[in-house]
Amino acid sequence: MSDKSHDPNQMTGAAMIVRALIDHGVTDIFGYPGGAVLPIYDEIFQQSEVQHILVRHEQGAGHAAEGYARSTGKPGVALVTSGPGATNMVTPLTDALMDSIPLVCISGQVPTHLIGNDAFQECDTVGITRPCTKHNWLVRDVNDLAKVLHEAFYVATSGRPGPVLVDVPKDVQFATGTYHPPRKSDVHRSYAPRVKGDATQIRKAVSLLANAKRPVIYSGGGVINSGPEATKLLRELVEVTGFPITSTLMGLGAYPASGKNWLGMLGMHGTYEANMTMHDCDVMLCVGARFDDRITGRVDAFSPGSKKIHIDIDPSSINKNIRVDVPIIGDCGNILGDILQVFKAEAKKPDVKSWWQQIAQWRARNSLYYKKSDDVILPQHAIQSLFEATRGKDTYITTEVGQHQMWAAQFYGFEEPHRWMTSGGLGTMGYGLPAAVGVQVAHPDSLVIDIAGDASVQMTMQEMSTAVQYELPIKIFILNNQYMGMVRQWQQLLHGNRLSHSYSEALPDFVKLAEAYGAVGLQVYKPADLEGAIKEMISVKRPVLFDCRVAALENCFPMIPSGKAHNEMLLPEQANDEATAKAFAAGKALV
Amino acid sequence: MNQPASAYFIEDRHDPNETHTLAVLVQNEPGVLARVIGLFSGRGYNIESLTVSETEAQKHLSRITIVTTGTPMVIEQIKHQLDRMIPVYRVVDMTQTKRSIERELAMVKVRGQGEHRVEALRLADAFRARVIDATTESFVFEITGNTDKINQYIDLMRPLGLVEVSRTGVAAIGRGPEGM
């Protein structure tokens, strides 16, 4: 045996963590130091391969890592201390779990001998994060650390991606042990996600698709998670079949919004043509989406006459909400490839001309209509102007949660995947600003815009300070209507117009706030000034808070009222106060 | 359909519930039971019975037997949700295979004198329950069988001076030469 002191694989736990990050190709991490992670921060200080971005709140680190992950397809990494550092990560971990985002969180823990003693800044981190991670580990022995870290990266990025957490007590960080580079045996033998789809099921699917009269492709975030090949194959499938395609909020960009078969987003605030196509179709191909309740509307009236094919890598997504006829478990890209191969070999392009004529009639209803004004900026118009001003540019969009998010999904056209970062499943207000920080770190020369609301953006506003420190020129485009717009919309529709606590009094002066942070503040009231102001925002090479004052009482349409089916959408031209009240009263009267 | 004002689609589901016994083979590591139980409580599934023990020490394998109830769709969900957990090797629906044997063990303490004592012993004999502890005024019986048999035995002991019962919960295994 050689002298252990010269073995390069002998190192402290803290050094192992940094080494593992490097071995997994991590170049940027987001974190906040504290007592239980100081040995790791000491290691970070003494190297230059991994850049650490200091956030202002651990939640910001988590969302920044999510933005980083969503915009690159690589795992995002966050480093936080024990106790409050870990509890502040609960929201981003849950967010990443709901939206299948690969996230590796490393948390410090009090020394092993103090665990369970209610020590200073102690909490049961693995207990608290068990339901909000794909898997988590508490490492009690430094010689297990390398294996656990490698497994953590594998679990986060393979199968259905998701967040993982590795909790490392401080004594384990100090202790010396043996490191090894990633190897296959690091992974639980019980974990083997299925990639390849069943050939018989694929044949069944192709036969349904080839004989479809009224088909629709409904794609989701899984296509984007699967990687660039899946996106390419999805586009090819649409081309080869000539089928109409719609997508969930998470799936926007997999098929280009300018594509001729694009129906727009579906679901509660989706387009009329997308929802009607879903409702009346005879064959539905769901790729990497999960029939979530914002998508289906009333479950027992969801697309009643169709045969449904569902491709998903997670078997638990199958038959969870909607019973499907042909489930295919595996990776979207892999299965789309197989479907295409069989389809091209055995089927000819189905005749869907009359189906498209029907769709054209639905499209003619112009469900995203809104009335422009010369006096006040309509939020939809603001997004359209932003889209026009950034068209063709290398742009990434993040959002917060609420009306502005839905308008962004409706009016900003995404041409490529990984360009749209939004909190879909969890609906986390405050996601967009830190996510933009993460995206900008990953793409320093790109244009990164957070389409925000005045309420959401205040939840994580402190990360402006991070953006200024690291010279990240993110643009925070606030649709300021001085309300929690979506909350107010529901109160108007469902709670007798009693606007309980949905109005923000004492909003900050966003321009002064920007200046206080050392960023740039812009404000615009008039439609005539909008275009120029957006141009200015884009040209500024510093972080910008853009206070776009919009029509205060504008609501988000079209929408599927609660308890209604896809073919019972409320369209904007019907959405005057009286009609809206009626549509909802019909549901309420039965209570 | 009752539809209160809500941002969610609220609906009643009327599918009948079924009872299923699931055998779950897991890596025996810290927190694995908490994960399984947390899944049930977190997603609102029922646990009627839960039995856990390490079954292969060298391989660190534990076998968890869970008896649960739910609609067919929920039962399917439970199996998939269990199966996708990282330390879970296999989930087998013993009820669905229709080829499984289920047993549980109970220890039943009965206190009484005279006729009651004699009757308790007589019934124990009929149920093939063994006496594993006795005093002049009490017995502890050990009984093994499926859940129905044990329930029946406990019901019979009740008027004879039933004091308390300790049950293991259900363990299940498939018939025939194959393992799970």
Side-chain angles (χ1 to χ4, degrees), chain A residues 282-343:
Chain A
D282 67 348
V283 174
M284 178 187 298
L285 174 64
C286 168
V287 194
R290 59 185 176 92
F291 296 97
D292 144 288
D293 61 88
R294 301 292 100 165
I295 292 301
T296 57
R298 210 174 110 191
V299 180
D300 58 3
F302 175 75
S303 192
S306 64
K307 292 276 184 203
K308 299 173 186 74
I309 305 160
H310 187 185
I311 303 173
D312 206 297
I313 199 158
D314 180 358
S316 76
S317 289
I318 308 282
N319 291 342
K320 183 161 68 176
N321 304 318
I322 298 291
R323 200 154 265 295
V324 296
D325 302 280
V326 184
I328 313 177
I329 294 160
D331 172 65
C332 292
N334 204 297
I335 293 167
L336 283 173
D338 288 350
I339 287 182
L340 260 169
Q341 203 182 9
V342 179
F343 191 95

Side-chain angles (χ1 to χ4, degrees), chain B residues 31-47:
Chain B
V32 67
L33 185 60
R35 282 180 210 285
V36 170
I37 293 173
L39 171 73
F40 277 75
S41 63
R43 292 187 181 264
Y45 306 145
N46 299 308
I47 298 181

Side-chain angles (χ1 to χ4, degrees), chain A residues 350-401:
Chain A
D351 178 12
V352 289
K353 217 176 284 163
S354 62
W355 182 227
W356 274 111
Q357 283 162 1
Q358 171 63 67
I359 292 169
Q361 284 177 26
W362 290 325
R363 190 173 269 159
R365 298 289 293 271
N366 193 15
S367 63
L368 295 180
Y369 172 80
Y370 65 93
K371 205 169 159 202
K372 268 191 204 166
S373 154
D374 290 335
D375 305 323
V376 58
I377 299 171
L378 270 297
Q380 299 94 323
H381 173 61
I383 306 240
Q384 275 185 317
S385 302
L386 184 71
F387 175 51
E388 291 306 328
T390 56
R391 198 195 274 267
K393 287 195 162 66
D394 175 20
T395 311
Y396 293 84
I397 301 288
T398 73
T399 74
E400 312 290 335
V401 167

